[in-house]
Amino acid sequence: MKPVTLQDIADQLGISVTTVSKALKDYPDVSAKTKALVKELATTLNYKPNAFAVNLRTKESKTVGLIIPVIVHHFFSNVIKGIIAEAEAKGYLVIILQSNERYDMEKKHLDLLMNQRVDGIMISLANDTVDFKHLNDVIAADKPMIMFDKIAKTVNCSKVIIDDRQAAYDATQHLIDIGCQRIAHFRGSLLPQNSIDRFLGYRKALRDNDIPYDASLVYICECDDLSFEEGQNNARQLLLDHNDVDGIFINTDLVAIGAISEFNKQGIKIPEQISIVGFSNWFMSSIISPSLTTIDQPGLEMGRSVFKQLYKEIQQLKRDEKVDYQQIVLPTQLIQRDSTLKVK
Amino acid sequence: MKPVTLQDIADQLGISVTTVSKALKDYPDVSAKTKALVKELATTLNYKPNAFAVNLRTKESKTVGLIIPVIVHHFFSNVIKGIIAEAEAKGYLVIILQSNERYDMEKKHLDLLMNQRVDGIMISLANDTVDFKHLNDVIAADKPMIMFDKIAKTVNCSKVIIDDRQAAYDATQHLIDIGCQRIAHFRGSLLPQNSIDRFLGYRKALRDNDIPYDASLVYICECDDLSFEEGQNNARQLLLDHNDVDGIFINTDLVAIGAISEFNKQGIKIPEQISIVGFSNWFMSSIISPSLTTIDQPGLEMGRSVFKQLYKEIQQLKRDEKVDYQQIVLPTQLIQRDSTLKVK
DNA sequence: CTGAAAGCGCTTACAG
DNA sequence: CTGAAAGCGCTTACAG
């Protein structure tokens, strides 16, 4: 059955399409009587405006795009949830694409969203991405875009992030505060800014406390699907390499949980022999034994904040105001649990 | 800067919009020379068709909608990943909405998608949903719709599911095969069809093996965010209620992992004293100790299959063919690990 | 091989 | 208070 149009309503009431349109939108220059008549018939016929026509006229689709490195990931799926919730509240729908941590996909998806003429774009970069032309193209086209979590610092747009360096500093400082002297770090792969920043925070905390930095205490893991195993492997290797480590700051909870499982297996007592701090506050971290001290990374709030900023910029653009780029840094928090010693 | 239109290209070349449009789409009745000219200028000007106008003309948006109970969930996020991957391959974008297991949200979201005039809809029902009018309305409007995983059997449309009853039967049969005689079941809440079917599969396996069904061996958990704790609680309660249980079939891996953690804590040996089979094959299940025997629930394949079927129906509708509803049942598989005894 | 014209369904400036 | 008309940017049946 064919959808009902304004024309159908106009025909049935013997009035013009113009008046029907205005009546439905409560224009002040339509008589109350006509409005009532139109609205009643619209309800009866279950009239829904044709979104395609409205989009073409208004040049906006009330749809935004999201490009994310991976969906199946606790932190990112929380971000998605936050974005969708906030978007829905403002009457926007969200198209989601996954780059799979690949630059070529990310670029292609950005193109798809631009061609679809979404009203705005939210993006967290692939580990792969080192060239930013595709991002600058979006900005040059005056399309509102917000970067979050995995960002390119040099691209001129709004960003929502956590202070990875400070959070890592806090994590390391906590280990120092409870008395650790030889502190290892399991870091992420070399490229993404996050793992660099977390490493820098770790190193700065050591420096500020006059603890010598020892590169042999830093273990790298790629943090892909194998992170749990990488945690186990690094823990095993650490025990072979060093016998004096009393604390580890680990880049991601899943890796930390792998490490804990290996230490448990080998009879290393946590936190008595080695204290461990993770990063992200995954829901399993409060559940495992011993529960994991970690940095809470607020995914849901990040998602909300990302959409809110995008919405603000869409409004500014519509009103021809100057778009006001923001760098929003969300607070993180150290959650102390049983994998680190209590007090000193 | 204003986007380039067909009119712009036509003006610059001194030809008509019609010819430009046809040239870009490689109509056979345009000269090779004109085509070359048009295409070159289109590339130079970086022309992109206005999707809004194309949508209005063609009455399709190459966009589909997905309504899912929860995003932050291993199984569902895998389904999403599968859907997006398959959609992208066919040139479709996916709008995602989350019902949060609430009927009112689900209904509202379905409306949003219909008003947006997406080309098709994929939906997995909220636990809440008992009235199906909103679903039948979609079908009455001739909008292709696929239900998956959490479906309403009585709604007349294509469905992609696993055979929950058979999978649960297999899980229970496995426990019986390795010698278990008193088999408990931790089931999901009473409403969703899945947990009913899994319960029925459990009961049928008992019957077929002449093992008396004992209602006191069935424990319910709501399976929301607290599932891990519910697993612990049910395990604790089970030990108080019964001292002869030698096997448990558990509705969801996370609950099973909670139960294992409780049994570990209380010194109950798994699988020597109690064998455990879970359901879903969550990635943590192969990692914990002891690793969990479980039913593999193929989320990624389900996502792919859901979009493929939707695509097929969209094509059938476009060609005015009869839409051919399918009920697709994906195979599940018992993955044996260390939480159940080897052989008898 | 090319183009004028109609139309998708809406919105809104303008005239009466 | 109402409506004729233009236009958003495309596609396509039709004429020449």
Side-chain angles (χ1 to χ4, degrees):
Chain A
M1 110 211 130
K2 272 190 73 175
V4 180
T5 66
L6 289 183
Q7 187 70 60
D8 296 332
I9 297 178
D11 288 351
Q12 287 198 36
L13 293 177
I15 59 176
S16 75
V17 169
T18 305
T19 304
V20 174
S21 174
K22 287 197 215 165
L24 287 174
K25 305 183 82 193
D26 260 332
Y27 272 47
D29 62 349
V30 177
S31 74
K33 198 178 138 207
T34 307
K35 275 186 191 170
L37 239 50
V38 169
K39 286 182 181 173
E40 199 197 324
L41 185 57
T43 308
T44 311
L45 298 178
N46 193 26
Y47 168 75
K48 306 286 178 195
N50 182 320
F52 300 156
V54 175
N55 291 348
L56 180 59
R57 269 300 310 225
T58 60
K59 297 185 187 304
E60 59 173 6
S61 59
K62 296 277 186 178
T63 302
V64 294
L66 168 63
I67 298 175
I68 207 148
V70 282
I71 292 169
V72 186
H73 185 291
H74 187 251
F75 173 69
F76 282 129
S77 53
N78 266 303
V79 174
I80 294 176
K81 185 178 167 186
I83 287 175
I84 290 182
E86 204 61 39
E88 200 203 318
K90 298 285 191 196
Y92 279 76
L93 294 173
V94 185
I95 290 172
I96 301 178
L97 289 162
Q98 156 166 309
S99 69
N100 254 313
E101 299 284 10
R102 281 173 48 187
Y103 164 69
D104 56 339
M105 283 294 105
E106 176 179 303
K107 200 173 148 169
K108 189 180 156 201
H109 292 163
L110 215 45
D111 251 12
L112 287 175
L113 293 175
M114 288 300 281
N115 292 347
Q116 188 71 15
R117 282 177 158 67
V118 292
D119 296 345
I121 291 175
M122 298 157 285
I123 185 169
S124 188
L125 300 185
N127 284 342
D128 249 12
T129 302
V130 287
D131 182 271
F132 306 137
K133 181 172 181 310
H134 57 312
L135 303 167
N136 287 317
D137 285 350
V138 173
I139 294 163
D142 282 330
K143 182 70 68 184
M145 177 174 75
I146 316 291
M147 304 184 69
F148 64 93
D149 194 54
K150 298 166 74 179
I151 65 167
K153 292 188 176 172
T154 58
V155 174
N156 188 28
C157 69
S158 287
K159 289 149 197 154
V160 181
I161 50 173
I162 58 166
D163 189 338
D164 279 291
R165 200 183 296 206
Q166 183 61 46
Y169 187 96
D170 294 345
T172 311
Q173 185 65 50
H174 171 66
L175 288 168
I176 295 169
D177 287 346
I178 58 172
C180 297
Q181 291 293 333
R182 284 285 279 171
I183 300 174
H185 176 39
F186 292 179
R187 62 168 291 174
S189 52
L190 292 174
L191 207 57
Q193 193 63 47
N194 308 52
S195 68
I196 296 171
D197 284 336
R198 292 179 198 173
F199 165 71
L200 293 175
Y202 156 79
R203 208 175 57 184
K204 180 156 192 303
L206 296 183
R207 283 218 183 117
D208 286 358
N209 289 274
D210 296 318
I211 299 178
Y213 166 68
D214 176 353
S216 77
L217 291 175
V218 176
Y219 293 77
I220 294 183
C221 47
E222 298 302 325
C223 289
D224 53 8
D225 291 344
L226 298 170
S227 354
F228 182 90
E229 280 85 353
E230 290 188 288
Q232 293 182 307
N233 295 341
N234 283 338
R236 195 175 309 120
Q237 191 59 45
L238 177 81
L239 292 178
L240 295 174
D241 296 346
H242 303 277
N243 58 11
D244 56 351
V245 165
D246 52 10
I248 319 179
F249 164 50
I250 301 183
N251 193 53
T252 303
D253 277 8
L254 187 50
V255 175
I257 291 175
I260 287 178
S261 115
E262 182 66 23
F263 289 136
N264 281 345
K265 200 182 295 171
Q266 299 214 17
I268 305 292
K269 293 227 173 334
I270 301 170
E272 292 78 3
Q273 293 175 264
I274 301 182
S275 282
I276 295 181
V277 182
F279 202 112
S280 64
N281 197 22
W282 185 35
F283 77 98
M284 283 300 285
S285 302
S286 62
I287 280 171
I288 50 151
S289 177
S291 61
L292 180 65
T293 295
T294 191
I295 297 287
D296 183 54
Q297 203 183 354
L300 201 66
E301 293 78 55
M302 183 171 283
R304 292 189 178 277
S305 172
V306 167
F307 183 82
K308 274 185 194 159
Q309 180 60 28
L310 182 63
Y311 181 75
K312 204 183 289 177
E313 296 191 6
I314 291 173
Q315 300 308 312
Q316 287 170 343
L317 195 75
K318 265 165 82 169
R319 292 196 290 255
D320 271 323
E321 293 169 15
K322 191 173 146 294
V323 174
D324 181 23
Y325 295 146
Q326 299 279 340
Q327 165 126 337
I328 298 169
V329 181
L330 298 179
T332 56
Q333 206 186 340
L334 181 86
I335 313 273
Q336 182 161 10
R337 299 207 183 91
D338 298 337
S339 68
T340 50
L341 291 168
K342 303 298 168 204
V343 232
K344 191 171 186 170
Chain B
M1 114 210 126
K2 273 190 69 172
V4 180
T5 66
L6 288 184
Q7 187 69 58
D8 297 331
I9 297 178
D11 288 351
Q12 287 198 34
L13 294 176
I15 59 177
S16 76
V17 170
T18 305
T19 304
V20 175
S21 174
K22 288 196 214 165
L24 287 173
K25 306 184 82 193
D26 260 331
Y27 273 47
D29 63 348
V30 177
S31 73
K33 197 178 140 210
T34 307
K35 275 186 190 170
L37 240 49
V38 169
K39 286 182 182 174
E40 200 197 323
L41 185 57
T43 308
T44 310
L45 298 179
N46 193 27
Y47 168 75
K48 306 285 178 194
N50 182 319
F52 300 156
V54 175
N55 291 349
L56 179 59
R57 269 302 310 224
T58 61
K59 296 186 187 305
E60 57 173 8
S61 60
K62 297 276 188 178
T63 302
V64 294
L66 169 63
I67 297 174
I68 207 149
V70 280
I71 291 169
V72 186
H73 185 291
H74 188 249
F75 173 69
F76 282 130
S77 54
N78 266 302
V79 173
I80 294 176
K81 183 179 168 184
I83 287 175
I84 290 183
E86 204 62 38
E88 199 203 318
K90 299 285 191 197
Y92 279 77
L93 295 174
V94 185
I95 290 171
I96 301 178
L97 288 162
Q98 158 166 307
S99 69
N100 254 312
E101 299 285 10
R102 282 174 48 187
Y103 164 70
D104 56 339
M105 284 294 107
E106 175 179 304
K107 201 173 149 172
K108 189 181 156 198
H109 293 164
L110 214 46
D111 251 12
L112 287 176
L113 293 176
M114 289 300 281
N115 292 347
Q116 187 72 12
R117 283 179 157 66
V118 292
D119 297 345
I121 291 174
M122 298 158 286
I123 185 169
S124 189
L125 300 185
N127 284 342
D128 250 12
T129 303
V130 287
D131 182 272
F132 305 139
K133 181 171 182 312
H134 56 312
L135 303 167
N136 287 318
D137 285 350
V138 173
I139 294 163
D142 282 330
K143 183 70 68 185
M145 177 174 75
I146 317 291
M147 304 184 68
F148 64 93
D149 194 55
K150 297 166 74 179
I151 65 167
K153 291 188 176 171
T154 58
V155 174
N156 187 28
C157 68
S158 286
K159 289 148 197 153
V160 182
I161 49 172
I162 57 167
D163 189 338
D164 279 291
R165 200 183 296 207
Q166 183 62 45
Y169 187 97
D170 295 344
T172 312
Q173 185 65 51
H174 171 65
L175 288 168
I176 296 169
D177 288 345
I178 58 173
C180 298
Q181 291 293 332
R182 283 285 279 172
I183 301 174
H185 176 38
F186 293 0
R187 61 167 292 175
S189 52
L190 291 174
L191 207 56
Q193 193 63 48
N194 307 52
S195 68
I196 296 171
D197 285 336
R198 291 179 198 173
F199 165 71
L200 293 175
Y202 155 79
R203 209 176 56 182
K204 181 157 192 298
L206 296 183
R207 283 216 182 118
D208 287 359
N209 288 275
D210 296 319
I211 298 177
Y213 166 68
D214 177 354
S216 77
L217 291 175
V218 176
Y219 293 76
I220 294 184
C221 47
E222 298 302 324
C223 288
D224 52 10
D225 291 345
L226 298 170
S227 355
F228 182 90
E229 280 85 353
E230 290 188 288
Q232 292 181 309
N233 295 341
N234 283 337
R236 196 175 309 120
Q237 192 58 44
L238 177 82
L239 292 177
L240 296 174
D241 296 346
H242 302 277
N243 58 11
D244 56 350
V245 165
D246 52 10
I248 319 179
F249 164 51
I250 301 183
N251 193 52
T252 303
D253 277 7
L254 187 50
V255 175
I257 291 176
I260 288 178
S261 114
E262 182 65 23
F263 289 135
N264 280 346
K265 200 181 296 171
Q266 300 214 17
I268 305 290
K269 291 225 175 337
I270 302 171
E272 292 79 2
Q273 293 175 263
I274 301 182
S275 281
I276 295 181
V277 182
F279 202 112
S280 63
N281 196 25
W282 185 36
F283 77 97
M284 283 301 285
S285 302
S286 62
I287 278 171
I288 50 152
S289 179
S291 61
L292 179 65
T293 295
T294 190
I295 298 287
D296 182 56
Q297 202 183 355
L300 201 66
E301 292 78 52
M302 182 171 285
R304 291 188 178 278
S305 173
V306 166
F307 183 82
K308 275 185 192 160
Q309 181 60 29
L310 182 63
Y311 181 74
K312 205 183 287 175
E313 297 191 5
I314 291 174
Q315 300 306 312
Q316 287 170 343
L317 195 75
K318 264 165 80 169
R319 293 195 291 255
D320 271 323
E321 293 170 15
K322 190 174 145 297
V323 174
D324 180 22
Y325 295 146
Q326 299 278 338
Q327 164 126 338
I328 298 168
V329 181
L330 298 179
T332 56
Q333 207 185 339
L334 181 86
I335 314 272
Q336 181 161 11
R337 300 209 182 93
D338 298 337
S339 69
T340 51
L341 291 167
K342 304 297 171 205
V343 233
K344 191 173 183 166

